[in-house]
Amino acid sequence: MIQLAGGSPTLTGCRILDNTGQWRGAIHCPDTSATISDCIISGNTATNSPGGGDPASVGGIACTGGSPSITDCISAVARLVAIAERVLPAQ
């Protein structure tokens, strides 16, 4: 898990794949103006899922507070949505 805490850190062109953490699986950016761009984020899990612990427990990106900027990133969820939109176009 990558933690981008405080200030204005930048994460560009990274592949964050198949990680597991107790509360976060990939990226946590608390109270920051982080810039995350051109990254692939897939297969990450948090063992404490929402409803069973901290409601902010996520496997992907968790930004709590601050003003993060996330652009041109691909996640497993985004790919599934893109596939679904091609197969089942909006009516």
Side-chain angles (χ1 to χ4, degrees):
M1 191 266 297
I2 296 170
Q3 180 151 324
L4 306 172
S8 301
T10 299
L11 191 62
T12 303
C14 294
R15 296 177 70 183
I16 303 164
L17 308 171
D18 303 319
N19 297 287
T20 300
Q22 183 177 4
W23 300 104
R24 314 284 185 262
I27 300 171
H28 183 217
C29 46
D31 302 315
T32 182
S33 295
T35 299
I36 303 168
S37 62
D38 300 314
C39 293
I40 298 172
I41 302 157
S42 180
N44 300 287
T45 58
T47 57
N48 287 337
S49 62
D54 181 348
S57 296
V58 295
I61 300 172
C63 294
T64 52
S67 301
S69 171
I70 303 168
T71 57
D72 299 323
C73 290
I74 297 172
S75 71
V77 172
R79 283 190 295 233
L80 291 175
V81 169
I83 291 167
E85 288 175 345
R86 283 193 298 263
V87 174
L88 304 168
Q91 302 278 332

